[in-house]
Amino acid sequence: MLAKRFSCGALRASNVGERAELNGWVNRRRDHGGLIFVDLRDRDGITQIVFDPQHPSFKDAGHLRNEDVLRVRGAVRARPSGTENEALSTGAIEVGVDELEVLNRSQVPPFQVNLDGNVDEQLRLEYRYLDLRRPRMQRNIRMRHNIVKAMRDFFDEREFIEIETPMLIKSTPEGARDYLVPSRLYPGTFYALPQSPQLLKQISMISGFGKYMQIARCMRDEDQRADRQPEFTQVDVEMSFITQDDVLETMESCMRYVWKRCLGVELGPFPRLKHEEAIARYGVDKPDLRFGLELQTVNDVFAGTDFVVFKSVIESGGAIVALRYPGGAALSRRDFDALTEDAKAFGAKGMVWIALGADGTKSSAQKFVSDEHVAKLRAQTGSETGDAVLLFADARALALAVAGKMRNIVGERCGLRDPNTYAFCWVLDFPYLEIDEETGKPVPSHHPFTSPGEDQWQYIDTDPQKMRAQHYDMVLNGWELGSGSIRIHKPELQRKIFEMLGMSAQQIEDRFGFFVRALEYGAPPHGGMALGIDRIVMLACQETDLREVIAFPKNQVARDVMMDAPTPVPEALLRELYLRSEAPERPSGQ
Ligand code: ASP
């Protein structure tokens, strides 16, 4: 009988009696009862194959090691009663091998490939091909495929056109540092790798495409953080003749479609918060709405207090911000000290705690906390006996920011951040400008192509800090998934924004001349958004690290440890590019 080829996840009881060919890797070998059992694995699953001593292949089977690559043929048969494995989709059957071909041998892997156990991440990244064979990574990378496919289908159904934009573009930094590529043909000049297709997608609106989307690769040469990679992928969208609501509806529907199709989860409508409101209620512009614990500004509770810390904050126009800690009365002084240290690490000068125990109230500022204070705090924060109230007093923005970070810690400790819950929301109406942490200068909180609100242009000359932008963020479980905005489509207004940011006419021409010129030829009103696919997949897979959902990521210090990049290149290559390296010797261990 001719053998039919099956995947290692395909055979069922109904195949018993057929002759099958399987190709895959040795997941595990067990020798017992005079038989050799091998779990053969491929991308679809695992099938038990059995070698019995009568067959000539038995001898070779005795030498098989994990990760050897095999082709086998044999009869599909029911497993002996009592030995079925319900955990496997193929657990009712096994294949009695009569032909074995060893297609390739494997070295002993540096870690166990057939288990998801803990392995040092550098080792995993160095042997990424083995790491990717493991069940969890196979699952994550497939989920990524499914999500991206769902996104493409969604936008296709809505008649968006996917347009590829180039990788080699002009350096027009969007807030981060550009990766540069030296030009061989034009000595001393450079292309930049795109930080995003922002200007090109806007230009595609000027070109009349109307609805653009792209699964776009973006590169930013930034200092590395846990939630960043030097290159990342976005679902990038732009639309013409639309309002902000149209963009929000489109992107929200896209996520609803993806979650339903890929996770089987129906999402409700996303709540919308103004930026100001998000900060006042949650202390951050990316609130985790899986839980309540809203912050309360309680200056009025402490009006007239003798407690110098609170008194001086109230007098100087700062804020006292209260956070409820459910069940927090059971914490020890040491626990509260540790929380105070957390708050300090976030920039607070200190923290006052009040424990609302059944046997009375205790506080780190006992002398200054009266029954009346406690009654009012209970009412405002919704705290009950058994809870604690944490208080942060500082300049308003700092007190709220610290309380917002502490809210996440409290939420985590109280088990309120369930990874199975997906709390999406919109944050809208951002200030146009924010202060850059490094330079202390005002910079756009999104990018300079964002339009201020229609009624906000009036402040541009007199009080630009007051301007609000038509800029929106989508947030999931405390993570910013992406940002977007309604764009400026009039060239004179675009110039005005560049001028407000301190650019001279020459600088505008050199960096953005091509773009302002494009706006001069009938640019339609337009707007759009980009969502980070790595983050979306990470949260959908309930992972906490982007590297778990990127097939070939860089490590925490931006190195590819499998290929070993970046590395120096031969002098001759540099010479061709008219470059000379003056870099210090490569630091050891990198
Ligand atoms: N280009 C923006 C970004 O990458 C997204 C947008 O405004 O559409 O964040």
Side-chain angles (χ1 to χ4, degrees):
M1 208 199 306
L2 216 61
K4 188 171 157 210
R5 191 185 309 149
F6 289 91
S7 83
C8 294
L11 293 170
R12 300 286 181 273
S14 58
N15 299 105
V16 168
E18 292 177 39
R19 189 172 159 71
E21 175 186 304
L22 299 174
N23 291 273
W25 287 262
V26 173
N27 197 56
R28 203 152 71 100
R29 193 191 86 207
R30 299 178 311 282
D31 303 2
H32 58 76
L35 297 170
I36 296 174
F37 294 87
V38 167
D39 288 342
L40 196 67
R41 182 193 72 235
D42 70 5
R43 49 179 261 166
D44 268 357
I46 286 179
T47 303
Q48 174 166 291
I49 59 176
V50 188
F51 296 85
D52 79 58
Q54 280 93 6
H55 277 287
S57 57
F58 184 80
K59 204 165 98 297
D60 293 334
H63 299 294
L64 293 176
R65 288 192 313 227
N66 284 5
E67 302 312 315
D68 284 346
V69 189
L70 313 184
R71 173 173 299 147
V72 297
R73 295 192 188 92
V76 183
R77 61 195 193 204
R79 291 201 195 186
S81 155
T83 65
E84 298 92 344
N85 180 354
E86 289 197 358
L88 282 184
S89 61
T90 61
I93 57 88
E94 59 191 19
V95 172
V97 178
D98 54 46
E99 276 181 64
L100 164 67
E101 211 179 319
V102 179
L103 301 175
N104 213 346
R105 307 296 303 226
S106 172
Q107 299 280 351
V108 176
F111 50 83
Q112 257 187 300
V113 174
N114 52 13
L115 292 176
D116 277 328
N118 246 344
V119 176
D120 171 63
E121 205 196 10
Q122 292 309 303
L123 198 63
R124 288 179 57 199
L125 292 176
E126 187 178 341
Y127 293 90
R128 190 61 159 179
Y129 36 88
L130 294 177
D131 187 39
L132 288 171
R133 283 183 197 169
R134 305 206 296 167
R136 168 174 157 201
M137 295 308 289
Q138 288 272 319
R139 224 173 27 240
N140 289 358
I141 298 302
R142 273 190 190 220
M143 174 62 95
R144 186 178 178 116
H145 164 83
N146 293 340
I147 288 177
V148 171
K149 173 79 167 66
M151 287 173 170
R152 283 204 162 104
D153 289 349
F154 171 86
F155 284 107
D156 181 61
E157 276 169 27
R158 291 199 175 201
E159 300 181 330
F160 281 72
I161 300 170
E162 181 154 14
I163 301 176
E164 283 179 75
T165 51
M167 283 287 123
L168 297 176
I169 63 168
K170 180 182 173 70
S171 177
T172 57
E174 279 174 42
R177 204 173 283 117
D178 276 336
Y179 277 104
L180 296 175
V181 179
S183 159
R184 181 178 56 82
L185 297 179
Y186 301 96
T189 64
F190 297 83
Y191 298 101
L193 300 178
Q195 294 191 22
S196 89
Q198 184 60 36
L199 292 177
L200 291 157
K201 71 172 168 174
Q202 290 192 237
I203 289 174
S204 79
M205 294 300 103
I206 301 173
S207 306
F209 286 104
K211 294 180 190 177
Y212 147 99
M213 70 81 65
Q214 184 181 193
I215 303 296
R217 311 298 307 277
C218 308
M219 271 97 4
R220 298 183 189 175
D221 188 3
E222 292 179 294
D223 292 335
Q224 293 306 291
R225 285 204 225 132
D227 60 346
R228 266 198 204 144
Q229 281 276 308
E231 49 183 314
F232 57 94
T233 312
Q234 293 184 336
V235 53
D236 196 40
V237 175
E238 200 72 11
M239 302 157 77
S240 295
F241 305 115
I242 42 78
T243 61
Q244 174 168 302
D245 271 347
D246 294 316
V247 183
L248 302 193
E249 189 280 326
T250 305
M251 302 309 286
E252 184 170 327
S253 300
C254 172
M255 295 314 284
R256 219 187 297 286
Y257 180 90
V258 167
W259 246 246
K260 174 102 198 289
R261 194 163 119 176
C262 302
L263 298 173
V265 172
E266 291 281 356
L267 298 174
F270 299 4
R272 296 181 183 190
L273 294 168
K274 290 199 166 185
H275 179 265
E276 216 171 61
E277 193 187 343
I279 300 289
R281 290 168 59 187
Y282 304 102
V284 278
D285 59 7
K286 43 180 181 184
D288 188 343
L289 296 192
R290 280 174 295 182
F291 59 101
L293 301 185
E294 289 189 23
L295 308 179
Q296 304 290 332
T297 299
V298 293
N299 290 25
D300 50 338
V301 172
F302 291 97
T305 179
D306 293 327
F307 185 36
V308 277
V309 178
F310 287 2
K311 196 173 161 169
S312 70
V313 161
I314 294 174
E315 281 168 5
S316 61
I320 305 168
V321 178
L323 167 66
R324 175 178 162 233
Y325 190 145
L331 299 184
S332 65
R333 264 172 199 276
R334 265 176 111 183
D335 293 329
F336 282 119
D337 288 346
L339 285 170
T340 308
E341 288 310 309
D342 289 334
K344 285 186 179 160
F346 296 141
K349 289 194 199 71
M351 180 186 95
V352 169
W353 53 266
I354 304 175
L356 308 172
D359 51 348
T361 301
K362 289 200 192 74
S363 170
S364 56
Q366 193 82 24
K367 274 201 299 195
F368 302 102
V369 177
S370 68
D371 289 348
E372 197 193 330
H373 289 142
V374 170
K376 284 190 181 161
L377 281 177
R378 277 181 184 252
Q380 279 209 23
T381 60
S383 300
E384 294 165 8
T385 302
D387 292 346
V389 176
L390 311 182
L391 296 164
F392 307 92
D394 224 309
R396 182 170 183 273
L398 181 59
L400 284 166
V402 171
K405 289 180 180 147
M406 294 302 288
R407 177 179 168 273
N408 283 339
I409 291 187
V410 172
E412 184 73 41
R413 292 194 180 191
C414 295
L416 300 172
R417 305 181 87 186
D418 174 7
N420 282 305
T421 305
Y422 300 102
F424 284 86
C425 70
W426 288 105
V427 178
L428 313 169
D429 209 21
F430 276 71
Y432 198 93
L433 294 171
E434 65 182 19
I435 301 299
D436 183 88
E437 276 175 26
E438 268 177 36
T439 61
K441 285 199 187 136
V443 291
S445 48
H446 191 31
H447 49 54
F449 318 107
T450 297
S451 177
E454 301 275 344
D455 54 352
Q456 301 291 303
W457 287 103
Q458 53 177 320
Y459 304 116
I460 192 162
D461 297 318
T462 50
D463 194 0
Q465 301 282 353
K466 204 169 151 185
M467 276 198 318
R468 321 287 307 177
Q470 298 189 60
H471 157 196
Y472 31 85
D473 276 6
M474 189 192 282
V475 175
L476 169 57
N477 293 358
W479 292 78
E480 181 202 314
L481 294 185
S483 305
S485 59
I486 298 301
R487 326 297 186 188
I488 298 164
H489 65 282
K490 300 233 180 204
E492 62 280 8
L493 294 178
Q494 184 63 75
R495 277 208 192 85
K496 212 160 166 48
I497 291 283
F498 288 143
E499 283 160 13
M500 172 188 79
L501 296 170
M503 291 170 68
S504 67
Q506 192 58 50
Q507 283 170 323
I508 299 172
E509 178 55 32
D510 290 348
R511 279 173 65 189
F512 297 112
F514 73 98
F515 179 65
V516 181
R517 235 169 340 272
L519 292 176
E520 280 165 357
Y521 288 88
H526 60 286
M529 175 157 212
L531 297 176
I533 288 181
D534 308 295
R535 282 186 187 180
I536 290 172
V537 180
M538 179 184 84
L539 294 167
C541 291
Q542 304 190 356
E543 294 286 0
T544 51
D545 193 319
L546 294 172
R547 293 185 293 273
E548 302 298 350
V549 297
I550 300 175
F552 302 105
K554 309 283 182 286
N555 70 4
Q556 301 95 314
V557 285
R559 292 197 65 81
D560 182 323
V561 290
M562 181 181 75
M563 289 204 270
D564 188 24
T567 40
V569 293
E571 268 301 309
L573 282 183
L574 289 181
R575 243 179 281 123
E576 274 185 354
L577 295 166
Y578 307 92
L579 293 176
R580 195 169 50 233
S581 176
E582 291 184 354
E585 284 290 292
R586 200 170 160 194
S588 61
Q590 286 207 0

